[in-house]
Amino acid sequence: KSAEYDPYHPGTIRRDGSYIYETFLATGGTDVKVYTVGPRYAHAEARKSPVVDGKVIRTDDGKELRFPVLLSPTEKEIARMVSLIFGQKVCGFDLLRCRSKSYVCDVNGWSFVKSSVKYYDDAAGILRSIILGALNIHKLFKRPSTDCHLAKSQRDREAAEEYKNAYETGATNWDEETN
């Protein structure tokens, strides 16, 4: 496991396959996990980096212990750019803070916060807006023609009349149906 510290690993460069090596950044022992929902929303949490001692601190229910953190204006812009550049409405990425700078070291599509009611409420509202915008939902609820007599069959006339009545009574109001 990558989260397990191996004190006996020699730390040498492996040559038996393809590997990407990054320069080690001294972060003070903290990693920041950032989660975006569209380009204008980012939620950030910090955790103790397992690089410190090879151990992951967990809660009583076995989840990794994390705490919310505020992003700087620059980090918010980084989150916006990650969402836009990778074309991901929902994604997560790791941010390392080192010497007053922030570095993205890993981007994951469809990554979610593990246990934050606020995040899930915010994400649900944003995703609802994105989906409804993409569907042009307002076009689904156009006012029907009042000329029900133009329908070709009695059955079509009755359906048109029923839809017209439902529209006039508000039964097709999206907000009322979903609240």
Side-chain angles (χ1 to χ4, degrees), residues 120-158:
Y120 282 108
D121 289 345
D122 291 346
I126 294 165
L127 289 173
R128 178 180 187 266
S129 295
I130 290 170
I131 292 166
L132 294 179
L135 291 174
N136 293 318
I137 198 71
H138 65 280
K139 290 181 181 179
L140 295 176
F141 296 106
K142 285 177 150 178
R143 182 171 176 79
S145 170
T146 56
D147 298 327
C148 295
H149 65 281
L150 297 177
K152 293 183 179 179
S153 71
Q154 177 65 28
R155 186 175 179 180
D156 289 344
R157 283 191 295 275
E158 288 171 0

Side-chain angles (χ1 to χ4, degrees), residues 21-132:
Y21 288 92
E22 301 170 337
T23 303
F24 179 78
L25 296 175
T27 63
T30 303
D31 293 344
V32 178
K33 306 292 185 182
V34 181
Y35 303 89
T36 65
V37 184
R40 293 187 304 253
Y41 179 87
H43 173 89
E45 297 179 339
R47 68 168 186 164
K48 180 193 76 65
S49 174
V51 170
V52 174
D53 58 5
K55 296 178 183 172
V56 175
I57 300 175
R58 301 201 177 272
T59 62
D60 290 339
D61 59 352
K63 294 181 181 171
E64 187 175 54
L65 182 63
R66 296 182 179 182
F67 51 94
V69 295
L70 296 176
L71 296 175
S72 71
T74 300
E75 291 169 337
K76 289 177 185 178
E77 179 61 14
I78 290 170
R80 187 180 82 78
M81 294 305 292
V82 166
S83 175
L84 293 172
I85 290 169
F86 284 88
Q88 295 286 319
K89 298 288 188 217
V90 177
C91 71
F93 62 92
D94 296 346
L95 192 70
L96 300 178
R97 292 172 168 170
C98 178
R99 295 185 202 102
S100 301
K101 291 186 179 182
S102 299
Y103 301 88
V104 174
C105 67
D106 186 23
V107 178
N108 306 295
W110 286 97
S111 190
F112 290 97
V113 175
K114 306 303 182 255
S115 57
S116 169
V117 173
K118 181 180 181 343
Y119 167 80
Y120 282 108
D121 289 345
D122 291 346
I126 294 165
L127 289 173
R128 178 180 187 266
S129 295
I130 290 170
I131 292 166
L132 294 179

